[in-house]
Amino acid sequence: MNRRTVAMVKAAEGLYHSKFAILQGSYNKGGVEASAGTHDGGGAVDVDVRTKSAAQRVAVVKALREVGFAAWLRTPAQVNWPHHVHGILAGVPWHLHF
Ligand SMILES: [Zn+2]
């Protein structure tokens, strides 16, 4: 992850009052096929929420949104990847926003 992304993730962790388990950061070109290229560039993060409750998952999404990420929950039904919160920073080219 680049410095700006790391700083923003740390800010979100502060709001959440706990550290996130990072599943995947940025610049992971071709690293995870399920990500379909969304993590090739900067500004992307996946927070592992496998062991979190529904309320905790919402809290992670809210904390990431609060600091400026576009963030949403992804489930194994949507992508072949465990429950995680996908976050992406504004300012990343539009074709990477999905
Ligand atoms: Zn992701």
Side-chain angles (χ1 to χ4, degrees):
M1 286 188 275
N2 62 32
R3 237 191 269 172
R4 179 172 169 239
T5 308
V6 170
M8 289 177 68
V9 167
K10 282 192 176 148
E13 286 174 335
L15 291 171
Y16 182 67
H17 300 299
S18 185
K19 285 248 172 207
F20 295 148
I22 306 297
L23 258 183
Q24 182 184 199
S26 310
Y27 305 108
N28 190 23
K29 192 164 172 56
V32 179
E33 202 179 340
S35 300
T38 54
H39 290 261
D40 291 357
V45 64
D46 283 333
V47 178
D48 187 350
V49 293
R50 268 176 284 198
T51 61
K52 307 274 188 222
S53 69
Q56 286 173 318
R57 288 169 178 173
V58 170
V60 171
V61 170
K62 280 190 178 162
L64 286 168
R65 286 182 180 170
E66 189 95 4
V67 301
F69 281 95
W72 58 93
L73 181 68
R74 281 179 156 178
T75 69
Q78 295 170 312
V79 288
N80 184 21
W81 189 240
H83 272 96
H84 71 282
V85 174
H86 176 81
I88 193 129
L89 289 178
V92 172
W94 68 271
H95 62 274
L96 296 178
H97 283 255
F98 67 92

